[in-house]
Amino acid sequence: MKGNVIKYERDNIDTDVIIPGQYLKVHDYAELATHAMEGLDPDFHSKVKEGDFILSGKNFGCGSSREHAPIALSHSGVKAVLALSFARIFYRNSVDGAFLLPIEIEEDAYNGISEGDEIDIDISKNEINNLTKNQTYKMKPFSEIIGKIIEAGGLFNYKP
């Protein structure tokens, strides 16, 4: 997976800023996507492109358990969120619904990757290659069960 990085240098980005509550009744995913990150970055929808990545600090996706958050991000073009840690409900909603990949990273990746950098993520090697800076970082591997769910295309497609 190759794309550009949109970086938010903060922790605890919650689902209320990922998709504000007033849009929870919107069932058209394309329209929902136009409001992604609106609570934090009102210009997000105009700068995100298909295949982009979000990079953030700790506890990304905390707050309510709304599935709208990963849906809005994925339909805006985001393929993965890279963070130091995730709220577990956001992590599982992202994986189970096959909306986007929640990729846990280490501090060196967080500090070394900048806004606008082009990166290439190789899940099979658990590597993130920063093509802009010619640097490579390790990502935390997915657990065996999460890897199988991702490979199946979500929980509904997973057959143990």
Side-chain angles (χ1 to χ4, degrees):
M1 283 188 302
K2 192 184 293 187
N4 294 317
V5 172
I6 299 170
K7 186 171 184 178
Y8 297 103
E9 294 190 50
R10 62 181 282 185
D11 298 333
N12 303 311
I13 293 179
D14 64 49
T15 55
D16 291 330
V17 298
I18 295 170
I19 188 68
Q22 67 262 37
Y23 303 112
L24 297 181
K25 294 182 181 180
V26 174
H27 298 291
D28 177 348
Y29 291 168
E31 181 182 346
L32 193 66
T34 65
H35 301 289
M37 301 302 287
E38 189 173 288
L40 175 65
D41 182 358
D43 297 322
F44 177 79
H45 72 280
S46 63
K47 65 182 173 184
V48 67
K49 294 178 182 51
E50 186 65 34
D52 279 353
F53 305 109
I54 289 177
L55 174 62
S56 179
K58 298 174 187 165
N59 203 28
F60 187 90
C62 58
S64 72
S65 62
R66 61 183 71 153
E67 291 178 345
H68 298 73
I71 291 170
L73 291 176
S74 70
H75 284 270
S76 70
V78 173
K79 293 299 173 211
V81 175
L82 291 76
L84 294 169
S85 65
F86 289 90
R88 289 293 118 195
I89 192 69
F90 179 88
Y91 186 93
R92 286 307 301 255
N93 281 342
S94 298
V95 170
D96 292 351
F99 300 120
L100 53 82
L101 290 178
I103 297 175
E104 291 189 61
I105 58 170
E106 300 290 346
E107 289 279 345
D108 65 331
Y110 178 74
N111 293 325
I113 300 171
S114 302
E115 171 85 15
D117 283 357
E118 182 181 21
I119 61 173
D120 186 15
I121 299 172
D122 187 337
I123 304 277
S124 67
K125 294 181 181 176
N126 294 316
E127 286 184 350
I128 302 164
N129 296 301
N130 188 328
L131 303 175
T132 304
K133 296 178 179 171
N134 196 28
Q135 297 173 335
T136 300
Y137 310 98
K138 285 297 204 184
M139 58 178 263
K140 293 181 183 175
F142 294 112
S143 69
E144 183 179 350
I145 188 67
I146 294 296
K148 288 179 180 180
I149 294 169
I150 290 169
E151 190 175 296
L155 187 59
F156 291 118
N157 296 325
Y158 173 67
K159 295 178 182 33

